[in-house]
Amino acid sequence: MDKQLEKRETKILARYKRVIKSFDKTWRVIDDTRVPILREVLSWLDHPDTKLKIIQIAGTNGKGSTGAMLGAVLKANGYTYGHFSSPFIMDDREQIRINGEMITKHDFLTYYDQVVATFAAHGHAIDYLSYFEYLTIISLVAFVDNGVDIVIFEAGLGGLRDATNAIEAPMLTVFTKISIDHQNLLGHNIKEIADNKSALIKSGTWVINYAGQDIDATKVLKARTEAVGARWFEHKRDEIIILNTTPAGLDLSINGESGYFLSMSGAFQVHNFSIVLQIKAALIEKGMVFDRAKTKQGLANVKILGRMNYHEDTNILFDAAHNVDGIRGLVSALNAWHLKIKPTLILGVLKDKDYHEMLDEIVPFVQRVITVTPNNKTRALSADELAADILSDYPNIEVEVANDASAAISLAMRVRESSKALIVVTGSFYTLSAIHREGGI
């Protein structure tokens, strides 16, 4: 690399790190003023959301996988797309992707400067928005600048006060499975949580709902759809049959036609894929064209960091299952593989999650647990506390505490040397982030 270019890249990296570090990382999802503020910011930026064809995805589990599959199908069929998602594992820019690739640090700073200049013009300082709010706005500016055909726009937390609710009515509003999570912020039962998420439904949008959705949640979503003048998209349920399942992915038959391979493991991914087929049907009705062979090719190349990522060379599975529903899906996949030896589990959880029930779901299916502390200073349950809880409820399970994520991987590989057992790393995105920081992914 040219010395001058290298110097420039070093300066960009240093500034990028400073900007990311400067962001206010606090959640603002209990503040009713935030969405109106973000709508005002979007108006200052000439309403970038109205210049995009947005598919907004909300739900408790499956948003990331659904978005990744949809993006792969769009790309294989020649469409360009932007994808906003959260959280990240390795780099903050994972949350803003164009055609599957993170935006560059240079571009991130360019869009950031554009937003900051807008604040200055309206008498506001750079701390006017929080971290997630900044990324929400920057993503929209980036997608307009790159002229993408479609935007996949994942909600962060809930719907009513989520930053992504600031956009005008999207083309499609999509709901993955809604289940119990973040009760302290979203509601104490499915109905209350669905009510919070249903606030994303706006007049004129088409609403797509996960076919196996909880009945109470579906009633709430349908009522909101009717009340605001949106359209409930009806689609004949596709027949998806799993022909074979391995850590590498799923061989599928769709409506009687075989030859589909989904490069994402876990039978639960079929539920997310069924949503993608509904989205595809809606897009066809709106005039888009999809080729069957290209769609198959796209599905065979789906990649999403931290969701059922199997590394065959090391026999390690990374999955950011972070709540009870996610852990159940992981356990179901492990059982479907008929492993000869119970896996070794590397586990780190957040203390504000229902981790006791998560333990009840997965601990009986593993031979040992190595606990780690997730990469989140305020919300992480320490490895020591987690180990103590496991030993209290499961005194016969072998439990080890790892001082850091790198030690956890080394310990797991050492203790499984003779058995060649699968190693499963799970519990939180922040657990996978901790593993990455130590060079484990």
Side-chain angles (χ1 to χ4, degrees), residues 418-434:
S418 57
S419 67
K420 297 189 183 333
L422 175 70
I423 296 171
V424 179
V425 184
T426 191
S428 171
F429 282 95
Y430 298 102
T431 301
L432 270 59
S433 177

Side-chain angles (χ1 to χ4, degrees), residues 91-319:
D91 190 306
D92 299 75
R93 293 172 299 123
E94 289 169 33
Q95 297 166 102
I96 305 174
R97 292 177 177 267
I98 295 172
N99 298 327
E101 300 295 326
M102 294 186 291
I103 63 171
T104 66
K105 296 181 182 73
H106 175 270
D107 285 350
F108 182 93
L109 292 171
T110 298
Y111 302 131
Y112 167 77
D113 288 340
Q114 186 178 337
V115 175
V116 168
T118 302
F119 292 163
H122 291 84
H124 295 287
I126 59 173
D127 61 355
Y128 193 49
L129 298 184
S130 69
Y131 170 81
F132 185 73
E133 292 169 342
Y134 254 114
L135 265 70
T136 301
I137 299 296
I138 288 172
S139 74
L140 293 169
V141 174
F143 299 151
V144 169
D145 189 46
N146 283 271
V148 297
D149 297 320
I150 296 288
V151 168
I152 302 167
F153 204 58
E154 295 180 28
L157 187 61
L160 179 62
R161 300 177 187 88
D162 188 71
T164 65
N165 195 24
I167 64 170
E168 292 295 314
M171 181 170 62
L172 305 176
T173 305
V174 179
F175 292 93
T176 64
K177 186 176 182 181
I178 296 173
S179 53
I180 299 293
D181 200 11
H182 297 292
Q183 296 98 306
N184 58 324
L185 296 171
L186 304 182
H188 298 92
N189 53 52
I190 292 288
K191 189 175 179 182
E192 289 180 2
I193 293 171
D195 188 57
N196 186 294
K197 294 179 187 292
S198 74
L200 297 172
I201 301 173
K202 300 179 176 77
S203 177
T205 192
W206 292 11
V207 179
I208 291 175
N209 186 36
Y210 162 55
Q213 194 71 272
D214 179 272
I215 293 173
D216 286 338
T218 296
K219 286 179 180 177
V220 169
L221 299 178
K222 277 190 170 181
R224 169 75 180 181
T225 300
E226 186 176 345
V228 303
R231 174 189 170 185
W232 188 266
F233 184 73
E234 298 283 359
H235 174 66
K236 182 183 176 183
R237 192 167 183 172
D238 295 279
E239 183 185 58
I240 307 172
I241 298 172
I242 299 175
L243 303 177
N244 188 39
T245 175
T246 70
L250 306 169
D251 288 302
L252 304 173
S253 166
I254 301 174
N255 298 325
E257 182 183 343
S258 59
Y260 288 86
F261 177 71
L262 176 60
S263 59
M264 300 183 76
S265 56
F268 63 90
Q269 293 293 4
V270 167
H271 302 307
N272 298 324
F273 181 47
S274 71
I275 300 171
V276 173
L277 292 178
Q278 287 190 71
I279 295 171
K280 180 167 157 279
L283 294 177
I284 289 171
E285 191 171 323
K286 285 181 173 289
M288 293 178 66
V289 178
F290 294 87
D291 176 82
R292 190 170 298 179
K294 291 177 181 176
T295 297
K296 286 183 178 181
Q297 180 187 12
L299 292 172
N301 292 310
V302 180
K303 292 287 182 288
I304 179 167
L305 191 65
R307 276 84 157 191
M308 298 299 284
N309 288 146
Y310 177 62
H311 292 209
E312 189 174 4
D313 55 337
T314 56
N315 198 26
I316 300 177
L317 178 73
F318 297 92
D319 185 43

